[in-house]
Amino acid sequence: MERPPADVFFDAMPRFYIHLENGEGVLEDEVGRDCADEQAARKEAVCAGADIIADELKGGFSSVTVTLVIEDQDHVRLMQVPMTASIT
């Protein structure tokens, strides 16, 4: 008897899209990422935002503001995560 693939026994995690708004436009996440739930997606967004802000500050900007917009797999907006950092 042939066994079914292992992934048949597990539900797939939901897909979330994390878009970046920076005041000049929107960078859309066209691929998305699998996360266990909304809180896990928020954590992913915060980590991504922190990396982006760090890169911008290292690149010479003295102030950076971004908003990460989290959508579910149906592209329904769930939350926004505004982030700001500045060097004085």
Side-chain angles (χ1 to χ4, degrees):
M1 179 177 214
E2 198 172 311
R3 294 179 64 167
D7 59 53
V8 169
F9 298 105
F10 300 101
D11 289 332
M13 286 196 290
R15 182 159 296 259
F16 294 88
Y17 297 87
I18 302 171
H19 309 299
L20 173 71
E21 297 178 352
N22 66 0
E24 295 180 15
V26 177
L27 178 61
E28 297 216 6
D29 178 358
E30 296 177 0
V31 176
R33 60 193 78 202
D34 297 331
C35 298
D37 55 25
E38 288 181 28
Q39 285 307 102
R42 184 182 187 286
K43 184 176 179 179
E44 288 281 330
V46 168
C47 290
D51 288 343
I52 292 165
I53 287 173
D55 288 345
E56 294 293 311
L57 292 174
K58 289 176 192 174
F61 289 93
S62 60
S63 180
V64 181
T65 299
V66 298
T67 299
L68 297 142
V69 178
I70 303 171
E71 293 181 348
D72 68 10
Q73 59 196 13
D74 297 318
H75 295 282
V76 173
R77 185 178 285 215
L78 301 174
M79 68 182 86
Q80 294 184 162
V81 181
M83 300 178 73
T84 300
S86 61
I87 298 173
T88 54

